[in-house]
Amino acid sequence: QVHLEESGGGLVQAGGSLRLSCTASGRTFSNYAMGWFRQAPGKEREFVAGFTRGGENTYYADSVKGRFIISRDNAKITIFLQMNNLQPEDTAVYYCAATGGYYATRKFDEYDYWGQGTQVTVSS
């Protein structure tokens, strides 16, 4: 069992930055592929970024490529999502998720564990 907890959300103006954190308890991230997802009101949960089990490869949604960076700190059992040049369309609840598979699949229903989410609001 893995318990995930996100933090770092908030309100920011367009063009600003935020860094989200996701801390795991129970097990280290080295045993899981990890992903960040987001869900805006009335929309489906969508993949944002992720990395393979072991962290060798990272993946990004086209909408955030070049602006967001996913990283992790195995020693602290934490992963991060650095979000730069935020835009109003980035407004959503952001979730981190873990899957026992090797790849950070873009399909939210293939993840085994989820955090409770953190709200990110970008004003224009």
Side-chain angles (χ1 to χ4, degrees), residues 7-20:
S7 61
L11 173 65
V12 65
Q13 288 187 332
S17 298
L18 284 173
R19 189 174 83 154
L20 305 183

Side-chain angles (χ1 to χ4, degrees), residues 60-88:
Y60 296 92
D62 289 342
S63 58
V64 307
K65 201 172 294 184
R67 299 189 297 125
F68 291 11
I69 301 171
I70 187 172
S71 62
R72 68 181 195 175
D73 180 345
N74 280 341
K76 296 183 179 180
I77 319 179
T78 302
I79 66 169
F80 305 97
L81 185 68
Q82 177 66 42
M83 306 186 295
N84 301 318
N85 190 23
L86 283 160
Q87 300 300 314

Side-chain angles (χ1 to χ4, degrees), residues 1-4 23-27 77:
Q1 187 75 15
V2 177
H3 176 73
L4 304 174
T23 301
S25 62
R27 296 192 179 180
I77 319 179

Side-chain angles (χ1 to χ4, degrees), residues 4-118:
L4 304 174
E5 185 170 357
E6 304 94 338
S7 61
L11 173 65
V12 65
Q13 288 187 332
S17 298
L18 284 173
R19 189 174 83 154
L20 305 183
S21 300
C22 175
T23 301
S25 62
R27 296 192 179 180
T28 67
F29 288 126
S30 58
N31 296 321
Y32 298 88
M34 301 297 299
W36 283 100
F37 285 76
R38 66 186 181 186
Q39 188 166 20
K43 295 187 176 181
E44 289 191 351
R45 192 167 297 190
E46 65 173 354
F47 176 83
V48 175
F51 50 74
T52 51
R53 178 157 36 99
E56 296 89 356
N57 298 299
T58 57
Y59 305 92
Y60 296 92
D62 289 342
S63 58
V64 307
K65 201 172 294 184
R67 299 189 297 125
F68 291 11
I69 301 171
I70 187 172
S71 62
R72 68 181 195 175
D73 180 345
N74 280 341
K76 296 183 179 180
I77 319 179
T78 302
I79 66 169
F80 305 97
L81 185 68
Q82 177 66 42
M83 306 186 295
N84 301 318
N85 190 23
L86 283 160
Q87 300 300 314
E89 53 267 33
D90 296 316
T91 295
V93 177
Y94 284 71
Y95 300 88
C96 69
T99 174
Y102 176 77
Y103 292 101
T105 173
R106 295 171 186 258
K107 299 178 180 179
F108 69 86
D109 57 356
E110 294 186 5
Y111 284 78
D112 304 302
Y113 304 103
W114 291 86
Q116 84 288 347
T118 185

